[in-house]
Amino acid sequence: MARKTLLGNKIRRLRQARDLTQAKMAELLGISASYLNLIEHDERPVTVSLLLKLGKSFDVDLADLSDEDDRKLAAGLREVFADSTLDGGEVGAEEIKALAEAAPTAAKAILELYRAYRLAREDAQSMTLGLGGGRTRKTVLPAEESRDFFHDRTNYFDELERAAEALVRGAALPPGEPWRVMLDYAKVKHGIAVEIAPPEALDGAVRRFDAKTRTLRLSEILPRASRRFHMAYQIGLVEARDAVDGIVAAAKLASPETETLVRVGLYNYFAGAVLMPYAPYLEAARALRYDIERLAQRFGASFEQACHRLATLQRPQDKAIPFWLVRTDVAGNVSKRISAAGFHFSRFGGSCPRWIVHEAFASPGRILTQIARLPDGATFFSIARTLTKPAPGFGEPASTLAIGIGCDIARAGELVYADGWDLQSRVREVEIGVGCRLCERENCRQRAYPPLQHRLDMDPAVKGASAYAFKKR
């Protein structure tokens, strides 16, 4: 399952950025110039010892030399070039890989152009059908731009971590049960009182702050973990405002709507960092081998909050396992995605039905595990479980979601969930795709759509395993 570490383009870019010749860089690394030349042309893999020398000699984070970013870019480009409306000749996997590795900035620009193109095309179709009300949307949808904002930053914000740590120290918040201390802190320092109210008194909201009376009203249907979270969020609106303003200003987002969504996400981040402080949470995660239920119990958090916090522990000097995280409903709509582990989420369509996140709905409340292998060879250990949010009362439907979290197979042995798995064997490995429209695997029994990049090749006299037979170009 191990992949050779071929990082030629990244090392070449690093050398050129430092204005070094191959001979000079080779001298600093203690290798020959000819060997460095082979590495830069991906004819030799980079050994662990050489990676450590690179990090020490050039003061770079080894994570910056990972091939995860290139693979994510390549996955996005495959979606672009698979669009039949852009057919200008087949762009093969090797060309896409070369583009992502050699010109990552150009690759990102292509993705942004394609996203703008899709939205413009949808606007044109809406106007043709009379669905647009005479108005077109902005080039970027606020919800998508907001998700991309967090996704592109691997959901780590040092400014908010520092602000949260300052609050924890200043208020002397005890781990696990900070509710009473937070109540006193909010009242004494900010004059904020808290009231637990019935849902009907909040007009359908679960949290409402009255600025005139300085009263935070929380719905009585919220579980304890959610009440703590909303309390920390409210304090963050005051104490983390400068940090949030700075992050949003630097992002240069496309619309006020996106700014609002990003601000909400950043205050949520702050609340999680207050209730699950970075250093204690990372120490506990390592000691408990990333047992999510134990972490949730220890820090008084929900299962989802504990998962989300794991996916944010990417402080450069002290990182946890890089995790990806996704949250979806039973219809497959993704409402949260984080990809610190380099998992390739479909940006423009549905995900693979063979992925364990969807299977979780068939086993409510149970933790399921899976080794999933993507078409490019990237292999991940996946964990999934359903979450049920309480209904406001009798006759109202509860909300059921599935949350998935996982890491590269190389780090799976550090997880308690991998006990009993043979991580070197491929017998129980499940081949998944980014989505049916991009997946080239033939004879998939769960294929919902034919691949966009290939022509159908159907024979009425033959019924295969898949609903769609196709011919690879």
Side-chain angles (χ1 to χ4, degrees):
M1 291 184 186
R3 298 188 303 269
K4 288 184 177 180
T5 309
L6 299 174
L7 305 174
N9 282 293
K10 285 183 177 290
I11 292 174
R12 185 186 304 111
R13 290 199 298 270
L14 173 64
R15 176 175 62 78
Q16 292 171 344
R18 305 300 173 90
D19 197 24
L20 297 172
T21 63
Q22 281 188 340
K24 183 60 177 177
M25 186 177 201
E27 178 185 343
L28 293 172
L29 294 174
I31 60 176
S32 68
S34 60
Y35 185 58
L36 177 59
N37 183 61
L38 291 173
I39 289 174
E40 289 193 1
H41 287 85
D42 283 338
E43 294 180 22
R44 292 290 186 276
V46 181
T47 63
V48 173
S49 60
L50 186 56
L51 273 175
L52 294 175
K53 284 184 181 179
L54 279 165
K56 183 176 180 180
S57 300
F58 296 96
D59 193 26
V60 295
D61 189 339
L62 295 184
D64 294 336
L65 297 175
S66 166
D67 62 349
E68 298 294 347
D69 289 340
D70 292 341
R71 292 195 292 113
K72 283 193 289 185
L73 275 176
L77 290 173
R78 281 196 295 273
E79 293 191 63
V80 173
F81 294 122
D83 192 326
S84 59
T85 64
L86 302 178
D87 189 11
E90 183 176 0
V91 181
E94 288 303 315
E95 288 182 275
I96 291 173
K97 179 175 180 289
L99 174 59
E101 292 176 348
T105 303
K108 290 176 183 178
I110 290 172
L111 290 177
E112 291 302 313
L113 286 170
Y114 180 67
R115 181 168 58 178
Y117 158 74
R118 279 180 59 93
L119 291 169
R121 185 176 66 185
E122 291 169 9
D123 282 337
Q125 291 171 343
S126 296
M127 293 177 67
T128 300
L129 296 172
L131 301 177
R135 295 182 297 173
T136 59
R137 295 174 298 181
K138 293 182 181 295
T139 302
V140 181
L141 290 175
E144 282 300 311
E145 187 185 13
S146 173
R147 285 182 197 164
D148 287 344
F149 168 82
F150 289 97
H151 178 88
D152 293 343
R153 289 159 179 79
T154 62
N155 206 35
Y156 177 78
F157 299 91
D158 195 64
E159 307 95 314
L160 298 182
E161 295 287 353
R162 304 298 178 187
E165 288 168 342
L167 170 59
V168 171
R169 288 193 302 270
L173 295 183
E177 283 295 340
W179 175 253
R180 178 55 56 186
V181 177
M182 280 199 298
L183 285 178
D184 294 341
Y185 180 84
K187 184 66 176 177
V188 172
K189 184 162 186 180
H190 301 297
I192 296 174
V194 177
E195 175 187 330
I196 307 300
E200 52 271 19
L202 297 177
D203 297 325
V206 294
R207 180 189 72 237
R208 190 178 295 277
F209 180 68
D210 187 331
K212 291 183 179 179
T213 63
R214 306 290 292 172
T215 301
L216 174 64
R217 307 180 79 195
L218 299 176
S219 173
E220 64 185 10
I221 72 169
L222 288 172
R224 283 182 173 273
S226 297
R227 293 182 187 184
R228 296 186 192 101
F229 192 88
H230 287 298
M231 183 78 241
Y233 180 100
Q234 186 63 44
I235 294 173
L237 287 173
V238 181
E239 299 204 3
R241 180 171 298 173
D242 289 345
V244 168
D245 286 347
I247 294 169
V248 172
K252 295 181 171 54
L253 300 165
S255 69
E257 293 92 339
T258 304
E259 287 192 4
T260 299
L261 288 174
V262 167
R263 285 180 188 279
V264 169
L266 292 172
Y267 285 120
N268 281 331
Y269 183 106
F270 175 82
V274 167
L275 298 176
M276 294 162 277
Y278 195 101
Y281 196 75
L282 178 55
E283 181 182 4
R286 288 169 173 164
L288 296 172
R289 297 185 60 215
Y290 296 89
D291 187 326
I292 299 166
E293 290 174 310
R294 291 283 306 279
L295 286 167
Q297 292 161 359
R298 181 170 297 185
F299 288 87
S302 69
F303 187 87
E304 180 179 359
Q305 290 166 3
C307 286
H308 196 135
R309 187 58 172 144
L310 283 178
T312 67
L313 301 178
Q314 293 298 299
R315 179 171 284 170
Q317 302 83 4
D318 194 16
K319 293 183 178 183
I321 295 173
F323 285 99
W324 55 259
L325 179 140
V326 66
R327 187 181 66 190
T328 181
D329 64 18
V330 70
N333 299 305
V334 173
S335 52
K336 183 182 290 186
R337 68 167 186 256
I338 304 171
S339 190
F343 190 88
H344 312 324
F345 293 111
S346 175
R347 296 167 60 89
F348 308 112
S351 56
C352 179
R354 293 165 60 87
W355 195 19
I356 200 171
V357 175
H358 304 299
E359 186 181 335
F361 288 104
S363 304
R366 287 184 54 208
I367 293 178
L368 307 180
T369 57
Q370 178 189 64
I371 294 178
R373 185 173 184 271
L374 288 167
D376 67 353
T379 307
F380 298 89
F381 190 85
S382 307
I383 304 156
R385 203 198 87 171
T386 56
L387 311 166
T388 300
K389 299 192 175 182
F394 178 74
E396 295 287 339
S399 173
T400 301
L401 303 167
I403 192 158
I405 187 170
C407 66
D408 191 280
I409 193 66
R411 304 293 299 273
E414 300 173 49
L415 308 180
V416 67
Y417 303 103
D419 289 352
W421 279 86
D422 182 354
L423 299 177
Q424 303 304 315
S425 172
R426 300 181 62 171
V427 174
R428 297 175 63 191
E429 181 180 277
V430 177
E431 292 188 341
I432 69 170
V434 176
C436 288
R437 295 186 188 276
L438 298 172
C439 183
E440 298 190 2
R441 291 197 172 101
E442 300 177 79
N443 300 318
C444 176
R445 296 179 182 277
Q446 292 176 268
R447 179 176 287 282
Y449 300 98
L452 291 172
Q453 64 270 46
H454 300 303
R455 294 183 180 277
L456 286 175
D457 185 23
M458 307 289 289
D459 184 346
V462 177
K463 175 66 174 78
S466 172
Y468 302 98
F470 53 89
K471 182 182 297 183
K472 291 189 177 181
R473 295 188 296 185

